[in-house]
Amino acid sequence: MNLKFHWRLLQGGEIRGVTTRATGASQRATGLPDPKHQIEFCRQAEASGITGLLTDIGASKPDPLLLAAGLGLATECIEFIVAYRSGLTLPTTFVQQLNTLSALVNGRVSLNIVAGHSPVEQHYYGDYLAHHERYARTEEFLAICHAFWENTGPVNFNGKYYRIEGGKLNTPFISPHRSFPELFIAGGSDEARSVAISQGTLWMRLADTPENLRSSVPPVLAAEKEVGLRMSIIARPTREEAVRAAHELLAGLDPSMRDRENEARFMIKSDSVSINATYALAEKEWLNPWLWTGAVRTHGAPAISIVGSFEEVANALIDYAELGVTQFILSGWPKLEEMILFGREVLPRVRKLESRLHLTQNA
Amino acid sequence: MKKRALRFHWSMSSVGEKWRGAKSRAAQNGIPDLEAHVDFCRRAEACGIDSVLTAFGFHRADPIVLASALGMLTAKIKFMVAIRSGICSPTALVQQVNTVSALTNGRICLNVVGGHTPNEQRGYGDFLSHDDRYARTDEFLTVCRAFWEGDGPVNFKGNYYHIENGRLNTPFVAADRTGPEIFLGGSSPQAFGLAARHADCLWTLPRRPEELATRITAVLESGTEVGILVSIITRPSRKEALSAAQSMLAEVGDRARKTQQDFSRVSDSVAFTSTLALAEESSSDWLTPWLWTAAVPYLGAPAIALVGSYDEVTKGILEFTKAGVTQFLFLGWPDVPEMIAFNEEVRPRVLAQYDAGSDISQGTLLNDEAELKRS
């Protein structure tokens, strides 16, 4: 199977490149779709060999499913990885919305299911469940979604969080390839991994070094599910240039360190296992010669980055592939330019290395 | 009192279906035909229609997803998106509505419905009774309006919803509003009360205009407008209109009739069941010389129709305006030719006479005895 590379969709207000939580979420602009620049970004992603674009979910963003519907109508082949969480919508409604979207964009949609990371934000929506209960509810939510996608008759379900009686929908999931969407289950906790195994198609977690991932991946692969990583890329012609770009990323920030304080304040309120774990990893700036945590405490946990020359970045991605990782959701800075550079310089190198990897695996 | 401008909307529910309502819900195709919908929207734009209704039901595509897609492919038309409480968090709904507003420059309004079929509600995980659904909708709209009308974090604690410091970064985007226009459908006392409290306009089903005038007095006095959901069959002459109406009935036939009877047995909607009963029990198919109920047993409550020549249908519409109705949500079989006839022939007549008429106090009606005898 070829590795699949996705990118995080450009959000409103991000066209100038760097947006940290401090300069981003406090601005109204992140709440507004920016169709002009986002469509441009989608088309560039299509041209750069990117498979899908992650559309974030959160109270500071537009609704991801509807944003995907809007952008999907203006694009041809890019897929949308819609982030979603239980506790906002009943599962029947959600399936109806997602299936409708699939029918409008010919199946160019998959899901990145998150459990939520901020109790404060969950309360905005009337959701008061604790971390482990949210996973239990997500499990029920997805079991009901699957029952609709299997489409074998009226759906009945009586669980702890949901009760459905005789559920029917006339709008199926439409895709040339699948009867239900790819389901990425995001989260670093054991609960997240077990939901990925029981209900998902892929376990999506924040990156760590290949060594640290080595033990957590095999149970997922053994269950015939995929493993994906959420991380960032800083690739330049030489390692020196890449490291300089990484450091410039931080140098460009508000000298008052407002970004760092804001991120720290966000962390205090978060009950996400993986976000907290990645924040802790960032005690150390380099986890190995190419895995850099320098931006985690200002730009958020997904800013854990592969930093290096095009060749080094491609090799690092192959290191993960050798563990069994098959998909990546990437970010970079400046947002558009890094994606273009990745498509032009890194991706061809990855494909070349990958074909060798397949040869050795098949030998 | 100063007269309000009349506004005209059209239902988009039948795109891709020749006889809306003739097939059971379960037998309908839920896969949206994008091209047909875009074509319908553009025709509605050309016909000066204010908004198109995207309805809600298990047998349909999701209305708000459809609206956001169609909004990207159209320029002027507004989308009247049907919503129900009980299927999502009010905060999540506000976020979705605001997202569509931002993508379409405010071309979204809401049609709040209470739900009409307990069986269907249970398929969504909603087990409340008719009256409780209205109580929940009351809370739901209170929360939504706090997001749209307030300027701070939203806090609410009720029987159904508990929101703490709710905030969203995506505002409702429109040139002239901070939140969507809210239409609310229903015929029960609960619906009327809720519309008076929360809605800009109540959608209800037609009755004889003088009867309707009495029923809607309190809603109008609250400052909420009243609109009716009504079908339209208009032709150059009354004879042609009647023949179109009759041939429609002949074509849809008895299977459609059974579909409606089956639906009525499982529905707890006061609007739908009382209209069906009215049509089944009344001795005549005509409530007024141009208000025809014969299609209701075949095609459902919204099939109560204004039938007649352009002048007659004009009169029928004006009678409703005299009863206090200022907005109309039309359906036709098929929709597009009817929409074109309405735009070219009926609307100009209606507006000329409405504008020429003296300011009318609510509830006064001029009954034309001669016209009534003619039926």
Side-chain angles (χ1 to χ4, degrees):
Chain A
M1 188 197 305
N2 274 336
L3 297 176
K4 275 192 192 171
F5 295 96
H6 313 286
W7 214 270
R8 174 181 168 276
L9 176 68
L10 182 81
Q11 293 284 326
E14 290 183 344
I15 46 170
R16 283 179 305 115
V18 178
T19 307
T20 62
R21 200 180 305 282
T23 54
S26 58
Q27 288 176 352
R28 267 214 146 176
T30 58
L32 289 174
D34 179 357
K36 180 172 172 282
H37 293 103
Q38 287 176 322
I39 289 168
E40 205 177 286
F41 193 85
C42 291
R43 297 205 173 125
Q44 189 57 58
E46 287 175 343
S48 296
I50 299 299
T51 303
L53 291 173
L54 175 68
T55 55
D56 292 359
I57 186 167
S60 62
K61 318 272 174 68
D63 180 82
L65 204 149
L66 297 183
L67 182 61
L71 299 176
L73 268 287
T75 51
E76 306 291 314
C77 54
I78 194 76
E79 295 175 11
F80 295 90
I81 305 167
V82 173
Y84 217 79
R85 62 179 186 235
S86 69
L88 305 177
T89 299
L90 290 174
T92 311
T93 310
F94 175 70
V95 172
Q96 189 169 10
Q97 293 205 328
L98 190 88
N99 288 1
T100 300
L101 173 59
S102 77
L104 293 169
V105 301
N106 196 26
R108 291 186 287 130
V109 56
S110 57
L111 287 172
N112 189 49
I113 300 291
V114 293
H117 52 66
S118 158
V120 173
E121 182 175 313
Q122 314 267 138
H123 298 175
Y124 302 174
Y125 293 88
D127 181 7
Y128 296 85
L129 291 190
H131 182 271
H132 70 283
E133 284 226 68
R134 295 206 300 272
Y135 277 101
R137 183 183 57 197
T138 301
E139 177 123 32
E140 285 195 6
F141 184 91
L142 292 174
I144 295 165
C145 292
H146 277 297
F148 278 104
W149 285 319
E150 277 156 22
N151 201 14
T152 50
V155 173
N156 292 288
F157 188 91
N158 204 342
K160 188 170 170 200
Y161 305 99
Y162 300 106
R163 182 177 153 214
I164 306 290
E165 208 177 277
K168 274 182 282 198
L169 291 171
N170 278 18
T171 310
F173 184 80
I174 301 280
S175 152
H177 317 291
R178 309 181 53 93
S179 61
F180 67 100
E182 275 189 83
L183 285 160
F184 302 171
I185 311 297
S189 64
D190 290 345
E191 284 114 322
R193 191 176 60 166
S194 96
V195 172
I197 288 171
S198 71
Q199 305 293 338
T201 62
L202 178 145
W203 180 39
M204 180 61 67
R205 53 156 298 158
L206 287 160
D208 198 335
T209 59
E211 294 66 41
N212 291 346
L213 292 178
R214 198 169 299 278
S215 64
S216 61
V217 169
V220 182
L221 301 181
E224 300 189 332
K225 302 295 165 84
E226 294 180 72
V227 174
L229 295 179
R230 175 82 181 96
M231 64 191 314
S232 299
I233 299 275
I234 301 176
R236 296 291 179 275
T238 66
R239 176 176 169 80
E240 291 65 38
E241 287 167 272
V243 171
R244 201 180 317 133
H247 288 146
E248 275 165 10
L249 189 60
L250 302 183
L253 296 179
D254 184 341
S256 70
M257 302 298 281
R258 201 158 50 96
D259 304 281
R260 192 167 291 258
E261 285 162 23
N262 270 292
E263 189 61 25
R265 216 172 300 136
F266 169 80
M267 291 305 303
I268 292 165
K269 291 188 279 185
S270 176
D271 65 355
S272 157
V273 169
S274 58
I275 292 176
N276 275 286
T278 307
Y279 195 77
L281 280 181
E283 279 296 324
K284 208 175 149 196
E285 194 185 351
W286 293 94
L287 299 179
N288 69 19
W290 44 261
L291 192 59
W292 183 67
T293 65
V296 165
R297 293 196 174 180
T298 48
H299 292 62
I304 185 165
S305 307
I306 302 177
V307 177
S309 68
F310 302 138
E311 204 64 45
E312 286 168 333
V313 171
N315 278 315
L317 290 167
I318 292 296
D319 284 354
Y320 288 121
E322 282 173 342
L323 282 182
V325 173
T326 43
Q327 305 202 35
F328 297 84
I329 301 179
L330 303 173
S331 300
W333 308 271
K335 289 165 194 287
L336 181 66
E337 290 78 354
E338 188 73 42
M339 181 174 74
I340 295 172
L341 210 51
F342 176 83
R344 198 177 62 212
E345 301 290 349
V346 180
L347 199 51
R349 290 173 164 87
V350 169
R351 294 297 181 219
K352 207 174 284 171
L353 292 166
E354 194 181 13
S355 59
R356 270 183 235 149
L357 181 69
H358 289 161
L359 288 178
T360 39
Q361 279 173 348
N362 295 335
Chain B
M1 68 187 279
K2 191 169 168 7
K3 282 198 296 192
R4 289 178 185 272
L6 299 183
R7 288 167 63 195
F8 304 103
H9 312 268
W10 212 282
S11 165
M12 193 162 55
S13 312
S14 68
V15 171
E17 299 251 359
K18 190 171 179 198
W19 306 116
R20 180 192 192 276
K23 263 198 245 169
S24 77
R25 284 156 204 260
Q28 289 176 34
N29 182 358
I31 303 173
D33 179 338
L34 187 61
E35 220 170 291
H37 280 87
V38 170
D39 183 58
F40 184 88
C41 290
R42 295 202 173 133
R43 283 169 181 273
E45 283 179 343
C47 287
I49 296 301
D50 200 295
S51 69
V52 288
L53 173 72
T54 56
F56 183 92
F58 76 92
H59 55 296
R60 300 179 183 287
D62 179 78
I64 197 164
V65 178
L66 190 59
S68 62
L70 294 173
M72 296 295 282
L73 304 172
T74 52
K76 278 197 331 219
I77 195 80
K78 279 188 265 182
F79 299 92
M80 188 186 296
V81 171
I83 60 155
R84 276 184 194 171
S85 73
I87 56 174
C88 71
S89 147
T91 312
L93 187 272
V94 170
Q95 192 168 7
Q96 291 208 318
V97 170
N98 291 1
T99 299
V100 178
S101 79
L103 288 169
T104 62
N105 199 21
R107 291 187 287 125
I108 179 171
C109 55
L110 301 180
N111 184 32
V112 180
V113 291
H116 48 62
T117 318
N119 281 347
E120 180 181 0
Q121 312 269 139
R122 289 185 202 124
Y124 284 87
D126 180 8
F127 292 80
L128 292 190
S129 69
H130 179 273
D131 294 2
D132 289 342
R133 292 204 304 271
Y134 276 100
R136 182 185 55 201
T137 304
D138 196 353
E139 287 194 8
F140 188 86
L141 290 174
T142 302
V143 174
C144 292
R145 289 177 60 208
F147 276 102
W148 286 315
E149 291 165 18
D151 53 358
V154 172
N155 284 287
F156 181 87
K157 196 158 189 185
N159 287 324
Y160 304 98
Y161 300 106
H162 176 196
I163 305 297
E164 208 174 275
N165 283 317
R167 56 185 91 209
L168 293 169
N169 267 21
T170 309
F172 187 84
V173 177
D176 51 349
R177 304 184 62 93
T178 63
E181 199 171 0
I182 296 174
F183 295 83
L184 191 141
S187 287
S188 66
Q190 292 92 335
F192 277 44
L194 205 56
R197 257 196 311 290
H198 291 295
D200 296 289
C201 179
L202 167 76
W203 282 137
T204 193
L205 289 163
R207 291 292 183 269
R208 281 187 191 86
E210 62 274 23
E211 186 193 333
L212 190 67
T214 317
R215 293 174 62 162
I216 63 179
T217 308
V219 175
L220 290 173
E221 278 169 2
S222 76
T224 296
E225 284 185 72
V226 173
I228 53 171
L229 174 56
V230 66
S231 295
I232 198 163
I233 301 175
T234 190
R235 296 291 181 278
S237 70
R238 178 172 183 86
K239 202 172 152 218
E240 288 163 273
L242 287 178
S243 129
Q246 290 307 332
S247 62
M248 177 182 91
L249 280 195
E251 190 165 338
V252 295
D254 278 347
R255 198 150 49 95
R257 184 172 193 121
K258 180 163 182 312
T259 299
Q260 292 306 322
Q261 286 164 345
D262 291 348
F263 175 71
S264 181
R265 264 195 295 278
V266 296
S267 174
D268 65 357
S269 156
V270 172
F272 287 5
T273 53
S274 68
T275 303
L276 188 60
L278 177 75
E280 292 274 21
E281 288 156 16
S282 121
S283 55
S284 154
D285 288 341
W286 298 89
L287 294 181
T288 73
W290 21 80
L291 195 58
W292 184 63
T293 60
V296 171
Y298 298 85
L299 297 169
I304 189 163
L306 286 163
V307 179
S309 69
Y310 304 138
D311 284 324
E312 288 170 327
V313 167
T314 299
K315 268 186 203 156
I317 290 173
L318 287 168
E319 279 186 355
F320 281 116
T321 69
K322 287 172 193 159
V325 170
T326 44
Q327 303 208 39
F328 294 82
L329 174 54
F330 291 125
L331 301 88
W333 290 274
D335 284 296
V336 169
E338 217 62 72
M339 196 194 291
I340 292 169
F342 168 78
N343 184 48
E344 289 174 358
E345 301 291 346
V346 178
R347 188 217 301 264
R349 288 171 165 86
V350 168
L351 293 184
Q353 294 180 48
Y354 182 72
D355 293 341
S358 56
D359 288 0
I360 303 154
S361 63
Q362 292 154 19
T364 54
L365 274 171
L366 306 164
N367 267 330
D368 189 335
E369 287 296 325
E371 289 290 358
L372 276 171
K373 271 180 209 144
R374 223 181 72 187
S375 66

